Amino acid sequence: MRMSATPAVCPRCSGAFECGIGTGACWCRELDIHEITRASLTAFYEGCLCPNCLRSLHDDRPPVPSTRSFLAAQLKRKYGRRR
């Protein structure tokens, strides 16, 4: 019996999407995300990211060396440089 995807809300953009991790074949596992980047995302966000956000972070970022630098990059992106 195949399980269905679970309704979810992205913690990054608040968009609704279906998480397929319970089906055993989630789309997020198809992306080749560096293990350090995946660990940083897990530490920063609670729950799964939607396809658009995860692909955006995957496409726009090289592997993240640490959670701290990942968080700093996110804050800089959101708030810009303060003078």
Side-chain angles (χ1 to χ4, degrees), residues 2-61:
R2 183 176 166 94
M3 299 176 71
S4 63
T6 305
V9 175
C10 178
R12 184 170 184 249
C13 73
S14 300
F17 70 101
E18 290 189 2
C19 177
I21 198 71
T23 66
C26 188
W27 56 268
C28 70
R29 294 293 177 189
E30 296 172 7
L31 292 176
D32 184 25
I33 299 173
H34 192 276
E35 65 185 57
I36 295 173
T37 302
R38 192 176 292 274
S40 294
L41 292 171
T42 301
F44 188 68
Y45 296 109
E46 186 174 324
C48 298
L49 297 179
C50 70
N52 291 335
C53 286
L54 190 57
R55 284 190 185 105
S56 171
L57 291 169
H58 174 260
D59 293 342
D60 295 345
R61 307 258 190 282

